[in-house]
Structure formats: C-alpha cells, structure tokens
Amino acid sequence: MRVTQSMLSNNFLKNISNSYEKMGKISEQMQTQKKITRPSDDPVVAMKGIAYRTNLAEVQQFKRNFTEAHNWIDNSDAALDQATQALQRIRELTVKANNGTLEGDQRNAIAKEIEQLRDQLKEVANTKVGDKYLFNGTDTLNPLVLDVDPPKVSGNNKPVKLELAKGVYIQVNTDGTKVFSEELFTNLNTLINKLDPNNTTVDLKDDLANLDNSINTILNERATIGARDNRIELMEDRIDQQEVSASKMMSDNEDVDMEKVITDLITQESVQRASLGMGARIIQPTLLDFLR
C-alpha cells in the first residue's frame, strides 16, 4: 500500500487529537478529584457509585433517626424522674398525715400540697417536646390527661417505633396509660378527701400501698427505658462504623489517586511533546516554506 503525505498528516492529526483528549481527561480528574464525571466514562464505576451512595444515604437516615430516638428517650426519662420525685414527696406527706396526733388544719395544709403535686403530675403526663406529646402513644398531637375533674386519660397506648437499622424497629415512647393511669389520679383524689380537716379518723395504709405501687410502676418503666437506651447506643455505634465503611467504599470507587494522576499527566505531556516533534519531522515542507 502506498503511503501518501496526506495519510501521514491525517494520522498525525488524529493521534494528536487523541493525545489532547487524554490530557483533557486527566486534567478533569485533577480538578474534580473524581475518576469519572459522567457514566459513559466508566459504566462499572458509575453503577457501583449508585449502590454505594444509596447505602450511605440509608445509613445517614438511620443516624437522623437516632437523634429522634434520643430525643424521645431522654425527655421521657427526665419527665418520669419528675413524676417519681412528686410521688415520693406525696408519700412522705402521707406518712406524716397518717400520724393520728395531727390537727385538722395541719392535715388540710398537707392536702393542699398534695393537690399541687397531683396537678404537677398532670403536667408531667402531658409533657410536650416541640409539637409532640410524649406519653399519649401514637396520638402525639393531643394530651394524655384531659383537664377535667376527675382527670380523664385518653387511653392511647400504641407504641411509637423508629427504624434504627435495616428492618429493625425500636420502641422509643413510654406507655403513659400505665404510668399516669386514671387509677393513680383517683387514688390521689381519695387521699386528698381523707385529709379533710373535719375527718377525725384517718387510716392511710391503703393509700400508702397505692403510692408504693405507683412509684414501683414508674421505676420499672424507667428501667425499661434505660435498657432501650443502652441498646440504642450500641446500635448507634454500629451505624457509625457502617457510615465510615460506606464512605470509604464510595471514596475508593470514585476518588482518584492524585499521585497516579499527576504521574499520568507528566507522562502524557512528554508523549505530547514527542508526538509534536515527530510530526514536525515527518510532515513534508510546502512551497511556502521554500519561499521564505
């Protein structure tokens, strides 16, 4: 086959164009620090990148759910701590009132304080964080205890569960109908009535037993909350590790090795200069070159 000058020129220009294209791609990798900028650059890397990004987004959503879970757990435990203190104070007052030597006005003063503590328990039962009531199950828009006399408990005890891992749902709320039952408020009202100053005989043994049961119920619920919190913390540590792993896998798949890219760029520049020099030698001079 006869090789003509035009064939040499066309091949040279084609190769130079390819060389510039390679340099452009390497330069683009240096600027973006990514192996590819479009799926067509490497479909395998692109497909893996979609999977890794989906996994990372899922893990990051779980991390946001952990924040919400801690919000429920921490505020519920703090509220139950206040309820425990209120009931323990009521018990102290009841023990004091059970002393037969107290006069009517003294029992009346104790009854007034217990009334205030009862109302405080109502407020704790209706604890609200943001726009959510903590103790009314899934009905977070309405309070647990209605402000009537005697207090009425709404009765929603459905669990609030959050997905904290793939397919793993953890309950984050407390059953308010168990802790702040209508029976609790009925017993407190009965206790207050017994402390009427005109009542000369006061026997509060049953009331003390009821208070002990209520306190134990709250303590048991707080123990349950503590156990859930421990599990949530363990799961959160695992999710943090998964986030690190997912980020690393995505980085290994997409991010360039800068040392390699710089080396490739220097090599390609050398090839480019050599090609230009070779082209200058093989392309024959034209008539214009002789007329200079």
Side-chain angles (χ1 to χ4, degrees):
M1 183 180 69
R2 180 172 177 269
V3 178
T4 65
Q5 179 65 32
S6 63
M7 291 174 62
L8 290 174
S9 300
N10 290 336
N11 287 336
F12 170 73
L13 292 175
K14 178 182 178 182
N15 292 332
I16 287 295
S17 177
N18 291 337
S19 180
Y20 274 123
E21 184 179 351
K22 291 179 180 178
M23 288 187 65
K25 184 176 181 179
I26 295 173
S27 177
E28 193 174 57
Q29 288 179 341
M30 288 187 65
Q31 294 170 7
T32 62
Q33 298 185 13
K34 298 294 182 182
K35 294 178 182 178
I36 64 173
T37 56
R38 58 191 67 85
S40 59
D41 291 340
D42 192 327
V44 175
V45 171
M47 291 300 295
K48 287 183 177 180
I50 293 173
Y52 292 150
R53 288 179 181 278
T54 301
N55 184 36
L56 182 60
E58 186 178 71
V59 170
Q60 290 173 341
Q61 180 58 56
F62 291 146
K63 286 179 67 68
R64 289 189 287 271
N65 290 351
F66 276 109
T67 300
E68 180 70 9
H70 285 303
N71 187 42
W72 277 89
I73 293 290
D74 294 344
N75 283 285
S76 295
D77 187 58
L80 292 181
D81 181 56
Q82 296 177 13
T84 302
Q85 294 180 34
L87 284 172
Q88 287 175 339
R89 176 56 181 167
I90 292 174
R91 191 185 190 286
E92 292 174 4
L93 293 171
T94 303
V95 171
K96 183 177 181 180
N98 201 35
N99 187 342
T101 61
L102 291 183
E103 297 180 358
D105 57 344
Q106 293 175 314
R107 291 197 302 274
N108 186 56
I110 291 175
K112 294 297 183 183
E113 184 173 352
I114 293 177
E115 285 181 2
Q116 294 300 315
L117 292 169
R118 177 201 61 192
D119 293 341
Q120 174 65 17
L121 285 171
K122 291 181 186 177
E123 294 180 9
V124 173
N126 291 336
T127 297
K128 190 176 184 181
V129 176
D131 59 348
K132 298 177 182 178
Y133 288 95
L134 294 183
F135 296 109
N136 198 25
T138 55
D139 187 10
T140 59
L141 299 180
N142 295 300
L144 172 68
V145 180
L146 303 179
D147 191 16
V148 295
D149 192 18
K152 178 71 175 178
V153 177
S154 68
N156 188 315
N157 59 355
K158 296 180 180 179
V160 176
K161 295 184 177 182
L162 297 178
E163 187 178 14
L164 301 181
K166 188 68 173 179
V168 180
Y169 293 83
I170 303 297
Q171 181 177 343
V172 295
N173 71 321
T174 297
D175 185 358
T177 61
K178 181 191 301 182
V179 178
F180 303 102
S181 62
E182 291 185 8
E183 182 182 5
L184 168 64
F185 293 104
T186 299
N187 291 337
L188 291 177
N189 287 340
T190 300
L191 172 61
I192 293 170
N193 292 332
K194 286 184 178 180
L195 296 177
D196 186 282
N198 297 321
N199 189 359
T200 56
T201 58
V202 178
D203 183 4
L204 305 179
K205 291 181 181 179
D206 291 340
D207 301 277
L208 287 170
N210 292 334
L211 288 170
D212 288 338
N213 289 334
S214 297
I215 292 173
N216 288 333
T217 298
I218 294 180
L219 293 178
N220 290 336
E221 193 61 31
R222 293 188 67 186
T224 301
I225 289 177
R228 286 182 192 149
D229 191 38
N230 290 336
R231 182 183 179 187
I232 289 173
E233 288 182 355
L234 291 174
M235 293 179 66
E236 188 173 18
D237 290 340
R238 182 183 176 188
I239 289 296
D240 288 339
Q241 294 173 359
Q242 289 181 357
E243 182 183 29
V244 173
S245 298
S247 298
K248 184 178 183 302
M249 292 174 66
M250 188 175 71
S251 177
D252 291 343
N253 180 65
E254 298 180 1
D255 296 346
V256 296
D257 182 350
M258 289 302 296
E259 293 180 355
K260 182 178 182 302
V261 170
I262 292 172
T263 301
D264 290 344
L265 180 61
I266 294 173
T267 301
Q268 192 62 37
E269 285 178 342
S270 300
V271 172
Q272 185 76 5
R273 291 193 184 97
S275 298
L276 291 173
M278 181 65 69
R281 292 176 181 273
I282 65 174
I283 295 178
Q284 295 179 359
T286 66
L287 180 61
L288 292 177
D289 293 311
F290 291 103
L291 294 177
R292 289 176 181 175

